[in-house]
Amino acid sequence: MTLSTIGADGMPDARTLILKDVDARGWAFAGRGSSRSGAQLAANPVAALTFWWQPMVRAVRVRGRVVRATRAESEADLLSRSAAARAGVPSEDWTLWRLQPTRVEFWQGSTDRRHTRIVYHLNGDGWLMDIAPGGDSSEHSS
Ligand SMILES: Cc1cc2nc3c(=O)[nH]c(=O)nc-3n(C[C@H](O)[C@H](O)[C@H](O)COP(=O)(O)O)c2cc1C
């Protein structure tokens, strides 16, 4: 997935990450706390996630606030990685974050260009759903 954050200069930044888990607590991802993304999330704990499955012509788009998981959860995530992936990573630096969504969009493309966009907005304790035409895309139908 693509994780987008906001830099200290107010500019967006984005990079590719693995989605670790999704549950009621949020959409989990992990990386180094000392990284660029870690610094940006510490200063401004908001983010967007985007996913694209070309064979199914589907995209998912999520935005919300980001919270750090507990140190024990971050360490458990680090331990679940291969030895090669753990090499050189100080365990106190490895951080599991969860994005707590306030808006989730599911986009389904169609070869006849009648794309569908299903948007969920968090409204208090519940979610409001909105189904709308999905807008334009130029080259997905090949
Ligand atoms: C397929 C793929 C998966 C990746 N997964 C992760 C990940 O789960 N965690 C991570 O910190 N970096 C991951 N990376 C590396 C990031 O894209 C990025 O280079 C790194 O997190 C540093 O980004 P930053 O300088 O913006 O913090 C992955 C890269 C690719 C191409």
Side-chain angles (χ1 to χ4, degrees):
M1 66 187 183
T2 301
L3 167 70
S4 301
T5 51
I6 301 172
D9 56 1
M11 293 281 286
D13 208 349
R15 75 288 290 158
T16 309
L17 256 75
I18 297 169
L19 177 70
K20 292 301 185 80
D21 199 11
V22 182
D23 63 21
R25 295 169 297 174
W27 300 51
F29 55 92
R32 293 170 194 254
S34 63
S35 66
R36 192 177 171 87
S37 45
Q40 291 172 352
L41 287 171
N44 194 357
V46 296
L49 306 175
T50 41
F51 305 77
W52 166 235
W53 289 273
Q54 199 278 331
M56 293 190 294
V57 204
R58 285 184 181 174
V60 176
R61 182 176 167 194
V62 188
R63 67 200 304 248
R65 294 191 68 79
V66 175
V67 296
R68 288 174 71 129
T70 63
R71 188 97 300 277
E73 288 176 303
S74 297
E75 280 171 19
D77 182 84
L78 181 60
L79 283 174
S80 74
R81 290 165 61 88
S82 67
R86 288 201 306 269
V89 180
S91 68
E92 65 275 14
D93 191 25
W94 193 254
T95 306
L96 185 76
W97 289 273
R98 289 193 179 92
L99 185 150
Q100 300 175 330
T102 53
R103 183 185 191 279
V104 184
E105 173 183 311
F106 297 93
W107 189 94
Q108 175 65 63
S110 169
T111 50
D112 65 5
R113 290 180 164 263
R114 292 183 186 166
H115 313 315
T116 304
R117 189 198 300 250
I118 303 174
V119 181
Y120 291 85
H121 285 281
L122 189 61
N123 181 36
D125 289 340
W127 290 88
L128 294 177
M129 189 184 79
D130 183 39
I131 302 181
D136 195 25
S137 73
S138 53
E139 297 296 338
H140 80 272
S141 58
S142 57

